[in-house]
């Protein structure tokens, strides 16, 4: 395998780690471990494709990187890149991720011929004092494992076909593909015990894949991530995907909320709510409960009875640092929420055809116990007329699904999707679902977009006027009739995003007024009291962030 590495100017690339710095198992101490040595022991030779290329940043900006920006940078700057199977991969050492603020690393390439690019985020490694340590080595090896089509130890049952889980539902694996902070053998748990026991190796099942998988199932650019990442083929079932044997947690309940009936082509959103029952008193849970995190899986059964686990376009690796962000559910604050876009993921469109879909979520707690939501039925309506048919078709391509998941992108490989959304706006500007095209276009216009060209960082600045126009029209359409335009979850997010765009332009008065509109709109709609309380909290959080950014002190 050839590795081509680029790094932002000032960001160092990992070299080696002396294992004598911690008390690991006998036979693994006093070794100089590198990424190449870890893979040599697994039977794979890594070669550097030249020297590390430093990417000059003359802008002075220190901006986080989105998945869309990373992919655009790879296609522009990876000299060995081809949309084909090849033993080559691009590594980009950046500062931090904008999609997952806690991410230490990310295998981000889920487009076309997948698994050809990975990123390392040094700012997050610095925040956890991991630069030069075992965690930095671990991050590189772990992300390259995803490039070779290996799942996380505790997610192997979600691969196609499902792979067997290791001890304690995979959390007991002493593997490069586990998370040290999630390690739990049933007897010993936590990052400290992981590093005391870790033999700097993959498990036997992982080695069988790395050494003996069919060419297409392992080579970058071959099978899509998660496809054919196991050498067995048991018959998959919803029960196997959702409940791989762990006990359920009586102290928590999980529910799926949001709209239940969608137009043809309409993006499908859901809200996850993880609540304490009071049986165990206060409960500490992971702060991130959406499918982009590591602890929640959503299973979708289509109108034909086919069941798939939802796989987001990118799932950042956030849990292999020393700490995972948590929150304690109490009587005063009994629940944590997260909104998820389920319409499009790494397997493509999940709600492409009219009919009834059954959706179930399962959350794995910090102690390994599972909490399963009641199954929720969602319906996609048949197009009512020719306009509905055309609008739905303009919204349901792979490029459009990616743009809706990312809320827009400048990436050249998504040009056809951007053209389709623009055509939708121009030809069907009055159709309610056009609000989603305006949302994606407006959100993207309201932020920077960075990529790499000729060894230099290039930044497209926000277009505030275009952003306010597109977001404003999407919001106006949706507020006029609660049964058309953006669903309530998306409308809420759109109003907060518009407030942020106004603040970015220095118009704090309009930013504050937009947040006031957020609160009053849903109050006037008569949504339940607990939902109104959550919306007020969201508005207050956004208001504090805007004032802090502007140099003002938030109200006490």
């Amino acid at each position: 395998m050839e590795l081509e590495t680029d790094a932002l100017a000032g960001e160092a690339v990992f070299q080696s780690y002396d294992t004598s710095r911690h008390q690991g198992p006998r036979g693994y101490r006093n070794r100089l471990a590198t990424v190449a040595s870890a893979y040599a022991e697994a039977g794979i030779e890594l070669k550097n494709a030249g020297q590390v290329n430093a990417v000059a940043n003359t802008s002075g900006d220190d901006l986080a990187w989105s998945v869309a920006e990373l992919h655009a940078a790879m296609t522009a700057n990876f000299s060995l890149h081809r949309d084909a199977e090849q033993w080559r991969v691009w590594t980009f050492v950046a500062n931090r991720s904008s999609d997952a603020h806690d991410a230490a690393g990310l295998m981000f390439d889920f487009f076309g011929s997948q698994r050809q690019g990975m990123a390392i985020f040094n700012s997050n490694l610095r925040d956890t004092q991991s630069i030069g340590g075992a965690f930095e080595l671990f991050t590189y090896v772990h992300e390259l494992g995803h490039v070779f089509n290996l799942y996380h130890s505790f997610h192997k049952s979600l691969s196609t076909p499902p792979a067997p889980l290791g001890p304690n539902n995979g959390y007991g694996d002493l593997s490069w593909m586990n998370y040290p902070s999630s390690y739990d053998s049933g007897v010993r748990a936590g990052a400290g015990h992981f590093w005391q026991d870790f033999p700097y190796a993959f498990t036997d099942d992982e080695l069988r894949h790395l050494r003996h998988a069919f060419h297409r199932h392992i080579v970058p650019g071959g099978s899509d991530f998660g496809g054919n990442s196991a050498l067995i083929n048991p018959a998959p079932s919803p029960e196997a995907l959702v409940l791989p044997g762990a006990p359920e947690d009586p102290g928590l309940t999980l529910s799926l909320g949001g709209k239940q009936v969608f137009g043809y082509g309409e993006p499908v959103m859901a809200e996850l709510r993880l609540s304490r029952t009071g049986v165990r008193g206060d409960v500490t849970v992971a702060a991130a409960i959406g499918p982009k995190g590591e602890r929640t899986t959503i299973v979708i059964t289509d109108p034909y009875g086919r069941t798939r686990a939802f796989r987001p376009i990118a799932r950042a690796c956030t849990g292999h640092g020393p700490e995972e962000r948590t929150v304690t559910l109490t009587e005063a604050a009994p629940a944590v929420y997260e909104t998820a876009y389920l319409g499009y993921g790494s397997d493509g469109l999940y709600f492409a055809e009219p009919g009834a879909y059954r959706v179930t979520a399962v959350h794995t707690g910090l102690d390994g116990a599972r909490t399963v939501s009641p199954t929720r039925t969602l319906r996609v309506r048949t197009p009512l007329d020719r306009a509905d048919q055309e609008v739905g078709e303009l919204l349901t391509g792979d490029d459009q699904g990616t743009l809706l998941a990312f809320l827009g992108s400048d990436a050249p490989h998504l040009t056809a999707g951007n053209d389709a959304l623009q055509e939708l706006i121009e030809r069907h500007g009055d159709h309610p679902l056009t609000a989603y095209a305006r949302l994606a276009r407006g959100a993207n216009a309201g932020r920077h977009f960075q990529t790499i060209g000729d060894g230099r960082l290039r930044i497209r600045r926000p277009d505030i006027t275009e952003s306010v126009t597109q977001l404003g029209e999407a919001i106006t359409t949706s507020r006029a009739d609660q049964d058309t335009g953006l669903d309530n979850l998306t409308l809420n997010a759109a109003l907060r995003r518009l407030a942020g765009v106004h603040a970015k332009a220095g118009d704090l008065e309009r930013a504050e007024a937009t947040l006031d509109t957020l609160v009053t709109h849903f109050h006037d709609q008569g949504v339940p009291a607990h939902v109104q309380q959550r919306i007020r909290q969201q508005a207050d959080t956004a208001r504090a962030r805007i004032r802090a950014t502007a140099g003002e002190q938030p109200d006490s």
Side-chain angles (χ1 to χ4, degrees), residues 155-307:
H155 282 151
K156 291 177 182 177
S157 61
L158 303 180
S159 62
T160 306
L165 291 168
N168 204 17
N169 290 298
Y171 290 99
D173 272 357
L174 288 165
S175 165
W176 293 110
M177 302 313 297
N178 201 354
Y179 279 178
S181 60
S182 299
Y183 174 63
D184 187 351
S185 68
V187 178
R188 293 159 63 83
H193 288 302
F194 177 87
W195 288 111
Q196 289 174 14
D197 299 342
F198 181 49
Y200 292 85
F202 293 97
T203 64
D204 288 347
D205 283 340
E206 291 161 353
L207 289 174
R208 273 189 281 273
H209 171 77
L210 291 171
R211 295 172 178 173
H212 305 294
F214 287 112
H215 173 84
R216 178 169 170 75
H217 301 168
I218 183 172
V219 64
S223 298
D224 288 352
F225 178 62
N228 299 298
S229 56
L231 293 179
I232 61 169
N233 191 21
S237 68
E239 292 76 16
L241 290 170
V242 174
L243 289 171
E248 291 196 47
D249 188 342
L252 295 170
T253 60
L254 180 66
S255 62
L256 287 166
K259 194 172 178 178
Q260 286 190 271
V261 179
F262 296 83
Y264 174 61
E266 181 175 359
V268 174
M269 304 290 296
E271 182 176 67
L272 291 96
R273 183 176 190 262
L274 185 66
S275 313
R276 71 192 281 274
T277 61
V279 172
R280 292 201 290 125
D282 294 349
V283 183
T284 299
V285 300
I289 64 167
K292 286 185 179 181
E294 302 297 340
R295 294 191 172 275
T296 300
T297 299
I298 294 179
V299 178
I300 302 167
T301 302
D302 69 16
Y304 302 98
R306 297 172 299 199
T307 298

Side-chain angles (χ1 to χ4, degrees), residues 33 45 48 135 207 273 297 299 309 312 380 390 437 496 514 527 546:
E45 182 182 9
N48 291 321
F135 282 116
L207 289 174
R273 183 176 190 262
T297 299
V299 178
V380 176
E390 291 180 356
R496 284 182 282 130
T514 302
V527 300
I546 287 170

